[in-house]
Amino acid sequence: MKRLLMGLVTVAIFCVIFVEHLILSKTRSLADTTRGLGDYTFSKQNFVHWDGKRDLKRFMQAYFHEGNAICNLSSNTLVNITFGCKRLYETSGLGSGNFVAGFYAIRLAALMKGNIDVNLQCPDALEQRDSLLLPWMTGYFPASVSNKEKLESIMKQYNVPKHDICGTIDKCPIGIMFQEIQYDLRRMAVSLVGIPNEHHPSHTAVKQWLSQHEHHKFSKTYQMNLATSDTPLYPNTELDDVIVHFRCGDLMSSSHPRFGFCKYNAFASRISPNATRIGIVTQPFDESAQNRAWDSSAEKRRRCKTVVLDFQNYLETKFPKAKVRIHNSPNETIALTYARMIMANQSIAGISTFGVFSSIASFGTGYIRSPDKQSATNQWLTNPPLDKLTNDLILMKEPNILMVQQVQKLWEEKDGKQTILSWFRDSSIRY
């Protein structure tokens, strides 16, 4: 049986292959004569080339504040986007979750605009496939009439205005691509950690991928072949029943007006009493671990460690029969973090643009804090309500949150540390 599972993993990893040399041959001849976007006015040519961090950041800045710039393209266009995965992660100033949202917005707008192909290229994808998310976002995504009609039907059913596709990150309804999100990220998780056992939902999913590949709804989507062996990239990984994503790091010293923290009980109240292994994924405490530059100051790491260790103690008390572990050592990567969340029976995320996609893609049940007036982060989750589109997602109503601006002030007070920990632990305390 183990040999059969390994065989399924091997074939699943290879089942969606990105025919890179064909795509590159199609784009290189045009790339010689077409360059960056200049003043960001799209050319009405058959080919648009975005090169590197500069052009992607321009798109993202417009996506945050103005709208989805792909909507400015004419039909019959190939959009070729080339970037360095590692460089984008280390120097862009934006988190991986932001870019994942942006890439699905690009694909959605191109699909709904009609007759626009998207080619996402990351030259260091193979090198970075075990540590970053963005290599798994790359591929060639051609226009598809059937997929367009499917998404149009969802929008019509839930009264989502077509112009929202061209809107900002808050309104652009990327959630209607939940099947694409699940397919892409579950494929990544299987490639990274394999199939845990024959009873795990990933085992059934892999068999479906194999049996339906020739007629699969994504069979014309050519994603980069990132596998190089017949074993997972992280073999023998011990997975958890429950994974909680607790974002802290940058939020421990931030004035961001939209982000905040949920109480410990917001996570604990969703955890099954039968859970025997509970994992907390969060920013590293160790300076040598994988970390964004703006997260890695000694003060942020120290504050994050204080809260997360207290959270671990809280969960150990609540679930005395469960083993509670923190996954943020120097050996952990954000790609492995995603795989852990996707493979868990329960995947729980608070206010975060990072944890939202892995919760949507979970083979188990995903939990995400529902956006509201206090914190509208991930507002697209309700346009349309994503928990109405998929049965395995729950949008948590958690109005009692502590905004990061208040946290920053509390840390400076004499008894600030104890005040913060008391707020996390006591469900009755409000600010």
Side-chain angles (χ1 to χ4, degrees):
M1 180 58 66
K2 184 175 181 181
R3 183 174 296 178
L4 172 62
L5 289 177
M6 192 61 69
L8 285 172
V9 172
T10 303
V11 181
I13 290 172
F14 283 91
C15 71
V16 183
I17 299 177
F18 175 41
V19 189
E20 185 177 12
H21 69 278
L22 292 178
I23 306 305
L24 290 178
S25 65
K26 181 178 180 180
T27 58
R28 277 176 183 154
S29 59
L30 297 170
D32 292 337
T33 57
T34 309
R35 296 305 175 195
L37 299 180
D39 63 356
Y40 211 74
T41 299
F42 285 97
S43 171
K44 293 184 181 294
Q45 301 176 15
N46 291 331
F47 181 83
V48 171
H49 179 65
W50 295 1
D51 187 14
K53 180 179 72 173
R54 182 188 64 177
D55 288 339
L56 269 179
K57 283 201 69 175
R58 285 177 179 173
F59 167 80
M60 292 302 298
Q61 288 165 359
Y63 185 43
F64 287 144
H65 305 294
E66 300 168 22
N68 192 333
I70 291 293
C71 292
N72 297 332
L73 285 172
S74 59
S75 295
N76 194 27
T77 298
L78 170 65
V79 184
N80 185 64
I81 303 173
T82 303
F83 58 95
C85 283
K86 185 177 181 180
R87 184 167 184 263
L88 203 64
Y89 170 78
E90 292 181 343
T91 65
S92 68
L94 296 175
S96 296
N98 289 322
F99 281 112
V100 173
F103 287 167
Y104 281 112
I106 289 171
R107 289 171 55 182
L108 175 61
L111 191 62
M112 301 304 282
K113 181 84 175 182
N115 201 19
I116 295 178
D117 295 357
V118 176
N119 183 36
L120 293 166
Q121 297 185 72
C122 174
D124 57 343
L126 286 174
E127 179 185 348
Q128 299 298 326
R129 70 194 186 280
D130 60 346
S131 61
L132 299 177
L133 300 182
L134 298 188
W136 302 94
M137 299 293 104
T138 59
Y140 175 60
F141 307 97
S144 168
V145 174
S146 61
N147 279 355
K148 179 182 178 182
E149 292 175 346
K150 176 195 72 175
L151 299 182
E152 285 177 337
S153 176
I154 296 175
M155 294 180 68
K156 182 177 180 180
Q157 179 181 356
Y158 290 94
N159 299 315
V160 179
K162 289 186 177 180
H163 61 73
D164 280 0
I165 291 171
C166 301
T168 63
I169 191 171
D170 287 335
K171 285 294 184 181
C172 187
I174 58 174
I176 64 176
M177 297 188 72
F178 71 95
Q179 290 180 318
E180 285 82 353
I181 294 170
Q182 290 174 340
Y183 180 73
D184 296 343
L185 296 180
R186 288 174 177 178
R187 170 182 171 269
M188 178 198 76
V190 171
S191 296
L192 286 168
V193 298
I195 300 173
N197 57 69
E198 62 179 328
H199 303 294
H200 192 272
S202 60
H203 182 260
T204 301
V206 167
K207 289 197 295 185
Q208 290 176 343
W209 295 344
L210 299 180
S211 63
Q212 299 177 7
H213 178 57
E214 292 300 324
H215 306 286
H216 198 280
K217 69 187 78 174
F218 306 117
S219 62
K220 293 183 179 180
T221 297
Y222 301 102
Q223 292 173 277
M224 189 173 292
N225 176 13
L226 299 177
T228 56
S229 70
D230 61 353
T231 60
L233 296 172
Y234 290 95
N236 304 316
T237 298
E238 185 179 359
L239 300 173
D240 300 286
D241 301 322
V242 181
I243 286 288
V244 174
H245 175 238
F246 190 89
R247 179 178 176 181
C248 53
D250 58 324
L251 298 187
M252 285 298 171
S253 181
S254 173
S255 58
H256 199 295
R258 293 166 61 105
F259 282 92
F261 293 96
C262 296
K263 288 182 176 289
Y264 295 160
N265 189 59
F267 303 99
S269 63
R270 271 81 186 188
I271 296 175
S272 168
N274 299 321
T276 60
R277 297 185 305 277
I278 302 171
I280 302 172
V281 292
T282 189
Q283 277 88 346
F285 308 147
D286 192 322
E287 185 180 13
S288 66
Q290 186 185 34
N291 231 326
R292 302 180 304 187
W294 55 96
D295 286 343
S296 58
S297 73
E299 180 181 74
K300 290 177 181 178
R301 286 185 283 108
R302 183 175 62 253
R303 290 175 176 178
C304 183
K305 184 176 182 179
T306 296
V307 176
V308 173
L309 289 178
D310 187 64
F311 184 32
Q312 181 186 33
N313 178 264
Y314 176 90
L315 292 177
E316 288 173 339
T317 302
K318 284 280 187 178
F319 303 93
K321 295 182 180 180
K323 181 179 181 181
V324 182
R325 301 182 298 173
I326 299 171
H327 301 293
N328 67 345
S329 72
N331 295 324
E332 292 284 324
T333 67
I334 59 174
L336 181 55
T337 290
Y338 250 44
R340 290 187 184 280
M341 295 185 74
I342 293 166
M343 287 295 184
N345 297 331
Q346 293 179 286
S347 177
I348 310 173
I351 304 173
S352 167
T353 55
F354 177 82
V356 61
F357 292 101
S358 51
S359 295
I360 292 171
S362 173
F363 279 112
T365 301
Y367 302 77
I368 308 169
R369 183 191 180 273
S370 182
D372 56 22
K373 290 183 179 179
Q374 282 184 286
S375 176
T377 302
N378 301 321
Q379 191 173 339
W380 54 267
L381 286 168
T382 59
N383 186 39
L386 194 51
D387 56 345
K388 304 297 184 184
L389 299 181
T390 175
N391 295 327
D392 296 325
L393 182 70
I394 295 174
L395 297 182
M396 306 183 296
K397 304 294 184 181
E398 290 293 339
N400 191 0
I401 60 174
L402 185 61
M403 301 304 290
V404 297
Q405 294 171 321
Q406 183 67 28
V407 173
Q408 187 176 32
K409 293 177 182 177
L410 288 174
W411 278 117
E412 303 304 324
E413 295 181 2
K414 182 179 179 181
D415 298 322
K417 171 184 169 181
Q418 191 55 49
T419 301
I420 290 171
L421 295 182
S422 295
W423 180 88
F424 275 113
R425 284 178 166 269
D426 190 337
S427 297
S428 66
I429 300 176
R430 293 179 178 271
Y431 277 96

